[in-house]
Amino acid sequence: MPKFVYDLVDKIALQATMQGGYVPKQEIVKMLATASTDLFNTYYGKPSGLRNGRQTPAIAYQVSTQVADALQPFLREQRYSGSGPALAGDQILYGDGHFFAPSDMIHPTSFETSDGLAPVDVLDDMQRVYGLNDPIAGPTKDFPKAIVRPGGKYVVYPAPTVVTLTYIALPPIPTYREVYDLNGIATYDDVNSVDVGWGRQHEPELIERTLRLLAQATRDGQLTQTAGALTQDNI
């Protein structure tokens, strides 16, 4: 079965053709990547929804089961090990308890050590000094704390032997590859194409958003109407 990106590009190209226009597949893929990011921001929560440092949009991660289910394909887990036994895929946990977050991480959802009884309490900059030196509620092996430093660096106190980080990753950038035969005829290359990452239930949203972006880029009123019709069909 071909990747989801094949179906999306094929259906978007068909919609454009039905409106009397032609859009190159690579242009469709560029707009599809933007549409995917926009859809992710809708579910996760847009930066414009921040108020006094707090996320306030009606739709944001962990607000509802629907949102959690939508973002589940982007849930990742990374294990870090220091002096403990290393497993395949482990990243480095340094002796002072620091490690570097994955480059595709947008939001940590769970942060645990192998020794702790509770998840790691990540302190913000205002809490950092007092939280680490509090004689009563300071970090312990059972109740560790962590701080975030520039460059995606996390430091855990006291230094553990193993850390497991669960996080929401950015959607992958989709690509649509083709190979050419001896006659110069192109066919879809599923092996080297990169999927959008979304579940197939999000097909209407991705097609509608991509068509709107293409309509804006080409100033095609027919594509705008088609995207609007898809929106009405899925309300």
Side-chain angles (χ1 to χ4, degrees):
M1 182 178 180
K3 291 184 172 74
F4 188 23
V5 68
Y6 171 80
D7 292 335
L8 289 168
V9 172
D10 188 57
K11 291 176 180 178
I12 293 167
L14 178 61
Q15 290 284 352
T17 302
M18 289 172 62
Q19 301 305 322
Y22 168 76
V23 181
K25 289 180 179 177
Q26 293 308 318
E27 189 65 25
I28 292 174
V29 175
K30 288 180 183 178
M31 295 303 179
L32 177 59
T34 301
S36 176
T37 300
D38 186 54
L39 182 61
F40 178 87
N41 287 337
T42 297
Y43 279 104
Y44 172 69
K46 296 181 179 180
S48 60
L50 290 173
R51 184 179 302 164
N52 297 326
R54 297 178 181 273
Q55 192 62 256
T56 59
I59 302 176
Y61 180 67
Q62 290 184 330
V63 169
S64 69
T65 302
Q66 178 187 3
V67 174
D69 289 346
L71 295 179
Q72 193 278 331
F74 308 112
L75 195 65
R76 306 282 187 270
E77 186 174 274
Q78 179 61 62
R79 187 176 183 269
Y80 298 84
S81 58
S83 60
L87 301 177
D90 279 11
Q91 294 296 318
I92 298 174
L93 175 65
Y94 294 88
D96 63 352
H98 87 264
F99 66 90
F100 293 94
S103 60
D104 63 345
M105 186 180 82
I106 189 70
H107 174 74
T109 62
S110 177
F111 188 0
E112 301 173 349
T113 68
S114 56
D115 303 321
L117 297 178
V120 176
D121 181 15
V122 181
L123 305 173
D124 62 31
D125 288 346
M126 295 294 291
Q127 300 171 318
R128 179 161 51 97
V129 174
Y130 183 77
L132 293 178
N133 296 285
D134 186 344
I136 298 175
T140 65
K141 183 180 72 171
D142 292 337
F143 298 95
K145 297 182 185 295
I147 60 173
V148 184
R149 308 312 301 147
K153 179 180 178 180
Y154 283 73
V155 187
V156 186
Y157 298 89
T161 56
V162 175
V163 167
T164 302
L165 176 68
T166 306
Y167 65 96
I168 294 291
L170 288 168
I173 298 174
T175 59
Y176 183 101
R177 300 297 187 195
E178 292 180 317
V179 293
Y180 293 84
D181 63 16
L182 295 177
N183 297 315
I185 298 175
T187 56
Y188 169 68
D189 180 4
D190 193 63
V191 173
N192 293 304
S193 295
V194 177
D195 224 339
V196 290
W198 292 96
R200 288 184 177 263
Q201 70 271 26
H202 296 289
E203 177 181 299
E205 294 171 282
L206 289 166
I207 291 177
E208 180 264 325
R209 289 169 186 268
T210 304
L211 285 172
R212 287 191 182 279
L213 290 168
L214 287 170
Q216 293 170 11
T218 61
R219 299 183 180 180
D220 190 324
Q222 290 294 328
L223 285 180
T224 301
Q225 291 180 17
T226 302
L230 287 171
T231 301
Q232 290 299 319
D233 290 342
N234 289 285
I235 290 178

